[in-house]
Amino acid sequence: MASSLSKRGILLLTISVYIELLLYVVPLIMLLLTAKALAPTEDYWETQWGRVMDAFGREPHILYGLMPSIISFVTYWVVALVYLACDLSGCLHRYKVQPGKNEPPPTQRLWHSLGMVLFNQLLVGAPYGVLAYDVFEFIWTKERIGLDKCGQLPSIVSVFFQLGVYTAIREITFYYSHRMMHHRWIYKHIHKQHHEWTAPIAMITLSCHPLEHLFGNIVPLSLGPVVLGSHPLVHWMWFVLVTAFPVSKHSGYHLPLLPSPEFHDYHHMTNSECFGNLGIMDALHGTDQKWRRTESFQRHFVMTGWKPIREMVKSATQ
Ligand SMILES: [Zn+2]
Ligand SMILES: [Zn+2]
């Protein structure tokens, strides 16, 4: 591990926590508190949740296995199609991280990537979800999962505790699996497909080799819910977050009040360093040293105004 761990670690940890607080924890708390305040009766949301469970026949393979895949699929296409409209129209050009690159995206390469995305979602992600439920049930047993107990909604504190644990597990497992993908042999045969886009766009977030999608994307995301034996609703919330945020981080646009894409964009641009998600593991292992000397690092923060980041950083250094 790097010797100057503490300074780098604290700095990146602060940035990461700031992003999480501003963009994920705070809006989610507000949403949950508003839902609670608007409920006409004490058990209103539990009754609604019961209806949702009944609609799926209380079938655990659907609630735990298939629904996260469906939710992830819908979230992906809604967010990515909005970004694609911006890619094709050029309306967000001012906010482009790598101006002039893939503006507009090359049609043939885009169609190829869309095919990969659909293959991964429909033929890798969805079957995995259903099979993963069996592992989940094997670990926790049907009685302990207790679908009857799932009729009760988890408390807000419990939701955030679980999401926090998922985030930590994902941060560690994603980092090591991604670093492994950069091993010469694995990179050549598997990970290279994802890196064909040196200036990424949102729509290609899941464009990768099926084995990478399985071991690099889905397993790190699903370990948390399996380890904690969580409520299905927490699963669902998690899959909305971990689909929307990576799509946004691949978008190639640094937009106000959205997560900074600079870290992962730099990884695509240079094919080195910045292997993790939040940057905490890279700080621990020193795999962010070159990046920290770049303009990309200076621009790596959540914008709170409309002025494009490239103008902000330029004016700050002049
Ligand atoms: Zn990579
Ligand atoms: Zn990527």
Side-chain angles (χ1 to χ4, degrees):
M1 287 189 189
S3 54
S4 54
L5 158 72
S6 55
K7 270 191 181 173
R8 280 207 314 275
I10 289 168
L11 179 62
L12 277 178
L13 196 64
T14 308
I15 293 168
S16 305
V17 169
Y18 171 62
I19 291 170
E20 289 297 316
L21 278 177
L22 189 70
L23 303 174
Y24 150 8
V25 177
V26 174
L28 207 51
I29 287 179
M30 285 168 69
L31 183 74
L32 293 172
L33 288 177
T34 308
K36 203 172 177 181
L38 291 177
T41 57
E42 191 71 22
D43 60 352
Y44 176 77
W45 290 114
E46 277 183 359
T47 308
Q48 303 310 313
W49 172 245
R51 285 183 181 157
V52 172
M53 287 180 70
D54 289 340
F56 293 117
R58 297 185 176 254
E59 168 53 54
H61 281 93
I62 296 178
L63 290 165
Y64 286 100
L66 202 54
M67 275 308 285
S69 301
I70 293 172
I71 285 169
S72 175
F73 183 91
V74 173
T75 307
Y76 186 93
W77 284 92
V78 168
V79 179
L81 280 172
V82 171
Y83 275 118
L84 184 63
C86 299
D87 293 331
L88 297 175
S89 68
C91 64
L92 293 178
H93 171 75
R94 300 171 70 212
Y95 297 100
K96 195 80 181 157
V97 179
Q98 298 184 51
K101 303 268 179 72
N102 295 328
E103 287 187 297
T107 314
Q108 205 178 350
R109 196 144 56 98
L110 180 61
W111 279 114
H112 174 74
S113 293
L114 290 185
M116 296 286 305
V117 170
L118 281 172
F119 183 93
N120 284 334
Q121 288 178 318
L122 301 176
L123 298 177
V124 181
Y128 168 87
V130 176
L131 289 174
Y133 171 73
D134 291 321
V135 177
F136 184 70
E137 191 184 283
F138 176 77
I139 295 173
W140 287 94
T141 73
K142 219 164 192 168
E143 293 69 38
R144 286 170 74 190
I145 292 170
L147 272 182
D148 293 338
K149 275 189 281 174
C150 290
Q152 292 176 336
L153 290 175
S155 69
I156 292 178
V157 173
S158 159
V159 168
F160 282 101
F161 169 75
Q162 292 176 63
L163 291 178
V165 175
Y166 296 175
T167 303
I169 292 176
R170 190 260 186 121
E171 187 64 16
I172 295 165
T173 51
F174 178 76
Y175 177 84
Y176 289 116
S177 65
H178 190 186
R179 263 195 93 168
M180 211 170 66
M181 292 287 162
H182 279 263
H183 178 279
R184 215 166 8 151
W185 188 89
I186 301 178
Y187 181 84
K188 187 177 160 194
H189 295 284
I190 294 177
H191 192 44
K192 197 177 174 187
Q193 289 187 27
H194 185 62
H195 274 277
E196 278 172 3
W197 292 81
T198 51
I201 61 168
M203 194 52 94
I204 63 93
T205 305
L206 294 182
S207 172
C208 59
H209 192 285
L211 285 176
E212 176 180 348
H213 185 53
L214 183 61
F215 294 107
N217 295 332
I218 310 178
V219 170
L221 294 183
S222 58
L223 269 179
V226 170
V227 168
L228 290 189
S230 305
H231 192 283
L233 194 60
V234 188
H235 273 62
W236 299 4
M237 283 182 192
W238 173 241
F239 275 87
V240 170
L241 294 169
V242 293
T243 302
F245 275 39
V247 171
S248 182
K249 286 178 181 181
H250 277 88
S251 70
Y253 298 108
H254 196 150
L255 298 172
L257 295 179
L258 286 178
S260 161
E262 303 286 348
F263 186 77
H264 195 66
D265 204 284
Y266 177 85
H267 177 73
H268 273 265
M269 189 169 64
T270 62
N271 206 0
S272 69
E273 291 206 329
C274 305
F275 299 103
N277 181 43
L278 297 174
I280 297 168
M281 294 301 291
D282 288 277
L284 287 170
H285 286 288
T287 47
D288 59 355
Q289 288 185 332
K290 277 187 246 157
W291 174 65
R292 287 168 57 79
R293 292 194 290 270
T294 65
E295 218 173 69
S296 165
F297 174 71
Q298 292 170 38
R299 296 196 302 257
H300 185 56
F301 59 90
V302 176
M303 280 164 51
T304 51
W306 294 107
K307 193 174 180 181
I309 194 84
R310 300 181 69 82
E311 290 175 23
M312 285 174 71
V313 170
K314 247 187 213 166
S315 56
T317 52
Q318 274 165 359

